[in-house]
Amino acid sequence: EAAVLDSIRALLSWDQETIMPPAGADLRSDHLATMSSLAHERLTDPRLGDLLAACEADASLKGDADAQVNLREVRRDYDRATKIPTRLVAEMARTFSKSMEAWKDARAKSDFKHFEPWLQKVVDLSREKAQCYAGSSTKGTALYDALMDDFEPGMTSEKVSSLFRPLRERLVPLIDAIRASGKTIDEKPLRVKVPLALQREFNTFVAASVGFDLSGGRLDVSTHPFSETVGPGDIRMTTRYRDDGIPEALLTTLHESGHSLYEQGIPKRDRFGQPLAHHISLGIHESQSRMWENFVGRSRAFWAWCLPEMNKRLGGAFAPFKPEDLFRAVSAVKPHFIRVESDECTYNLHIMLRFDIERAMLTGDLAVKDVPGVWNERVKKDLGLEVKEDRLGCLQDVHWSMGAIGYFPTYSLGNLYCAQFWETINKDIPDLDAKIAKGEFGPLLDWTTNHIHAHGRRYSAMDLCERVTGKPLSHEALCNYLERKLKPVDGI
């Protein structure tokens, strides 16, 4: 029942971000509050606690590996859920729904002041939730860790910092060296104008080509691209378009396809509602989206396949270019205000910025009203850019408006997981580039399905990483990949 109710909540959320008329926002907040409350009541029913205890004591289940995974994970969910009162669940759902609408308006107007009171409410409710998890007297980073555990179970601020520190130490000199090289890369391939209707058709074609099952999913449009799992046979994703930005839209679609392929690869139909039918963590989820976006979509092999298809399906708009032109254009390191439009290298500095700011907001070390100033100062220091508009700064992401504090580190964690997976994938599929260049994406999808998707929550993210790659999570694989790829592209 809880899974069905949450499925309805997911459908309502998808509708709000895609086709809901703006005037329906107030009622939608009530819809989401009601559905979240009902699901929470099921998940915290004392009868569930009694049934869990009975199963845990049942000797006949000891040898059933699947049952043990489900019991362990349902126990974890139950113990966490029972710490949160239903009142708070409803209040968060209602507030976050309204906050998202306020964020949309504020972003359109580039006016942080319009969003500030809503962000303050989000932070206050998130802090209250964290204290429910960790104890009312808990302060500091322990509060943030309690929230991050919703997105990346077992991860802590200390562990994230220990991964981000050496990552930053390797990336900043690489970015500086690329800047100092003075080499410019032709961006004309990124600015070819293509009618939006043709773009939509082509993005759908690419999503299907990499393996997204359109009979069990959709590709739509939203302000901030996302993927939403409604349930078995219904995985929804969105992208966004500009008439002169089809490569950007393609990379966004590949990113969301990675999320959706993960969800379609989990055996949901026979296990709906069970942890074995649920993803492990958002870090692992991001490893899949970043893999298709960057390791595939920004590769020479991908453009060797994609460019001929573009010329065939988009009226020859890209006929003046070669695959190498597209590869270099999408791989160029060039600091950008917007996270989702950033290159593979500087992207991680965006995540570190958000990680530091949201921790400081939650612990009270940074007042919400001071976020734009701190953000803009950090962007100038890290990326050398002067933020002139809030929409290009702290209003660009939807996450805080929807209460997702603790989410942002998972993007760079996903990059780290992905790089280690990619090393192993290429050992297991030595002719992977040749296959991608021919549009044969099946072997890659089969590998990720068998090694990652199919496990559900059987293993923790860190355990899965070590199980698949033979190594604990580290910054090394990602830095090696970026240096190996970008130094020749940027002439250093």
Side-chain angles (χ1 to χ4, degrees), residues 30 40 46 71 100 110 112 121 146 149 169 211 250 259 271 273 299 311 346 348 378 405 409 415 435 455 492:
D30 291 336
H40 188 260
L71 281 173
M100 281 179 60
S110 197
F112 178 78
K121 290 178 183 180
D149 207 54
E169 289 171 358
L250 275 175
H259 284 306
R271 294 174 169 173
S299 70
N311 282 324
T346 59
N348 296 286
R378 178 74 172 268
I405 293 177
N415 286 337
K435 291 183 184 302
H455 293 304
I492 59 173

Side-chain angles (χ1 to χ4, degrees), residues 138-180:
T138 303
K139 296 180 180 179
T141 57
L143 286 175
Y144 186 79
D145 292 351
L147 295 182
M148 188 161 53
D149 207 54
D150 273 345
F151 305 107
E152 195 69 13
M155 189 56 70
T156 65
S157 300
E158 184 178 356
K159 289 179 186 176
V160 170
S161 296
S162 71
L163 289 164
F164 283 5
R165 196 176 304 113
L167 178 61
R168 187 183 186 92
E169 289 171 358
R170 288 272 293 272
L171 291 184
V172 170
L174 176 61
I175 295 166
D176 288 344
I178 291 170
R179 278 178 180 165

Side-chain angles (χ1 to χ4, degrees), residues 201-343:
E201 289 179 11
F202 190 71
N203 275 259
T204 302
F205 162 74
V206 170
S209 296
V210 300
F212 181 61
D213 180 6
L214 287 164
S215 72
R218 293 178 56 90
L219 175 61
D220 292 282
V221 179
S222 66
T223 304
H224 190 106
F226 69 99
S227 297
E228 188 77 70
T229 298
V230 177
D234 194 349
I235 312 296
R236 306 192 180 199
M237 59 181 181
T238 68
T239 192
R240 60 185 174 197
Y241 305 101
R242 284 200 326 258
D243 64 352
D244 64 343
I246 190 166
E248 178 191 324
L250 275 175
L251 292 172
T252 300
T253 297
L254 284 169
H255 180 100
E256 299 306 335
S257 293
H259 284 306
S260 297
L261 290 170
Y262 185 3
E263 291 295 324
Q264 290 187 337
I266 300 173
K268 293 181 180 296
R269 288 199 179 277
D270 298 331
R271 294 174 169 173
F272 182 56
Q274 299 178 25
L276 282 170
H278 196 272
H279 64 265
I280 303 163
S281 76
L282 286 180
I284 297 298
H285 231 305
E286 289 301 330
S287 79
Q288 302 306 283
S289 60
R290 300 296 284 171
M291 183 190 74
W292 286 99
E293 176 190 358
N294 291 331
F295 288 71
V296 176
R298 296 184 198 264
S299 70
R300 282 184 173 89
F302 176 78
W303 290 103
W305 167 77
C306 190
L307 183 56
E309 293 291 344
M310 289 167 72
N311 282 324
K312 183 166 62 176
R313 297 167 184 271
L314 301 177
F318 286 82
F321 304 109
K322 299 175 182 177
E324 184 70 12
D325 299 327
L326 271 300
F327 163 70
R328 287 180 173 275
V330 300
S331 299
V333 174
K334 184 179 179 182
H336 200 289
F337 294 104
I338 303 297
R339 171 184 65 87
V340 296
E341 296 177 23
S342 295
D343 59 83

Side-chain angles (χ1 to χ4, degrees), residues 358-378:
E358 67 180 15
R359 272 192 305 167
M361 279 196 300
L362 192 74
T363 59
D365 294 330
L366 174 63
V368 167
K369 67 181 177 61
D370 295 329
V371 166
V374 172
W375 182 292
N376 298 351
E377 184 180 323
R378 178 74 172 268

Side-chain angles (χ1 to χ4, degrees), residues 479-491:
C479 290
N480 291 342
Y481 158 79
L482 289 172
E483 290 170 355
R484 189 167 55 246
K485 175 184 177 181
L486 297 175
K487 284 182 177 181
V489 170
D490 291 282

Side-chain angles (χ1 to χ4, degrees), residues 101-143:
E101 295 303 309
W103 166 78
K104 290 177 188 176
D105 289 343
R107 185 175 182 270
K109 297 171 184 173
S110 197
D111 179 11
F112 178 78
K113 284 292 183 184
H114 181 72
F115 181 56
E116 183 186 322
W118 286 99
L119 181 56
Q120 186 64 62
K121 290 178 183 180
V122 167
V123 170
D124 291 343
L125 288 171
S126 298
R127 188 180 295 121
E128 184 179 350
K129 179 183 180 182
Q131 287 173 331
C132 289
Y133 281 147
S136 57
S137 61
T138 303
K139 296 180 180 179
T141 57
L143 286 175

